[in-house]
Amino acid sequence: IVVMVSVVWGFWEASVTSLIAVNCLNYFFVPPTLTWRVSDPQDWFALAAFEITALTVSRLSMRAQAQARGEARQRSQVQKLYELSRRILFLDRRQTIGPQIVSLIQEIFRTESVALFDATLVRLDATGSRAEELEELARSAYFQDGALEGGAGASAQVLRLGSKPVGAIAFCGPELDRPTIVAAASLAAIALERARSFEKESRAEAARQTEQLRTAVLDALAHAFKTPLTVISTASSGLLDAERLSPDDAELAALIDEQAEHLNRMTTE
């Protein structure tokens, strides 16, 4: 019974149980029975044995339970980090990424507040009741280039890509330990980098499409210009070859032919 109480409740409960057990042993079974008088030193050894058992087993049990709770908490944090990494892949990249990240972290880790400082865009996004406090903490962590601790369980971590700081993130939640904060910060930095890569890709695609459109428009314009220029050149050359024009008219026709040829070269280029 002492061992069971030690495992389930702890040392003090087991100590009380051991005292009751020794007194019952003394009262009911140790001569003279039905008295509280202790005449045999073995009774004291029995009490010491019960107490040592209560102390040893309770300490081992508490250590095992603490280890089990730590492992369960670690498994829970790893599962949450996996969920965060998975859902980051499905963020809407057509919208601003910062508000989506802070809302996602608050939802998954059930934190009181989250704030994200994007140094590239010089933008702060936050959610929760302590948003303003965490915004200042995240900004300070970025400019000091190091982790910071705030009041009432708040903490901030710098976002890095390699060795380059790109921002900072601040949390307020009792369930988050330092390794989890660092891992969540790394995932947030990756999400920001993916969003910037998507923006660069979108701009490059837009530039490519613009270049294709420009080329198509210029080709169409060149074709549209060459057709009337060919007619003008043919007509002016025919008038000159006919040799029925007066000198002034011939000069004007030559000028038309010359300028039409010039426009044709420009259109070709």
Side-chain angles (χ1 to χ4, degrees):
I1 293 175
V2 171
V3 171
M4 291 176 58
V5 173
S6 300
V7 171
V8 176
W9 284 287
F11 171 71
W12 295 111
E13 291 81 357
S15 296
V16 173
T17 304
S18 65
L19 288 172
I20 296 173
V22 169
N23 280 286
C24 290
L25 177 67
N26 176 41
Y27 188 80
F28 291 106
F29 299 101
V30 176
T33 59
L34 303 179
T35 64
W36 299 106
R37 187 165 57 86
V38 178
S39 60
D40 193 339
Q42 291 184 357
D43 290 350
W44 297 108
F45 287 112
L47 176 60
F50 282 143
E51 283 296 303
I52 292 173
T53 300
L55 178 63
T56 303
V57 175
S58 62
R59 288 294 178 268
L60 292 175
S61 175
M62 291 173 62
R63 185 180 304 173
Q65 291 176 4
Q67 184 177 359
R69 287 193 298 267
E71 292 176 352
R73 184 168 56 251
Q74 185 177 7
R75 285 194 301 271
S76 175
Q77 299 295 351
V78 169
Q79 290 174 354
K80 291 178 180 179
L81 288 171
Y82 170 75
E83 179 68 13
L84 177 62
S85 64
R86 186 185 68 83
R87 294 181 62 177
I88 278 177
L89 298 175
F90 298 99
L91 291 178
D92 190 353
R93 295 181 294 180
R94 295 169 296 181
Q95 299 181 6
T96 305
I97 204 71
Q100 298 183 73
I101 293 176
V102 295
S103 298
L104 187 60
I105 291 176
Q106 185 183 35
E107 176 188 348
I108 292 176
F109 291 97
R110 302 186 183 279
T111 56
E112 180 182 347
S113 300
V114 183
L116 177 68
F117 176 62
D118 188 346
T120 303
L121 301 178
V122 195
R123 177 188 174 95
L124 272 166
D125 296 290
T127 182
S129 58
R130 300 176 60 185
E132 294 183 1
E133 177 186 348
L134 293 188
E135 286 178 356
E136 184 62 31
L137 186 63
R139 188 187 294 108
S140 299
Y142 171 74
F143 287 115
Q144 296 181 26
D145 195 13
L148 294 179
E149 297 293 334
S155 59
Q157 181 70 29
V158 179
L159 305 182
R160 299 182 184 276
L161 288 175
S163 60
K164 178 183 177 181
V166 296
I169 190 168
F171 304 87
C172 179
E175 296 184 358
L176 294 178
D177 52 15
R178 175 54 54 181
T180 302
I181 291 175
V182 173
S186 300
L187 291 174
I190 293 172
L192 291 178
E193 180 61 20
R194 288 185 71 250
R196 294 194 184 100
S197 299
F198 176 74
E199 291 176 0
K200 293 178 182 178
E201 179 183 343
S202 300
R203 287 195 294 268
E205 179 64 19
R208 185 184 66 83
Q209 293 179 357
T210 301
E211 179 63 21
Q212 287 181 343
L213 179 61
R214 187 181 68 85
T215 302
V217 169
L218 288 177
D219 288 345
L221 285 175
H223 178 73
F225 270 82
K226 278 182 172 291
T227 301
L229 284 175
T230 302
V231 175
I232 294 172
S233 297
T234 302
S236 60
S237 298
L239 289 174
L240 291 173
D241 292 341
E243 296 182 352
R244 293 196 297 267
L245 300 176
S246 64
D248 292 338
D249 294 338
E251 184 178 352
L252 291 174
L255 180 61
I256 292 172
D257 189 67
E258 178 185 350
Q259 293 303 316
E261 181 61 28
H262 178 61
L263 284 176
N264 188 60
R265 287 197 304 271
M266 291 177 59
T267 303
T268 301
E269 291 174 359

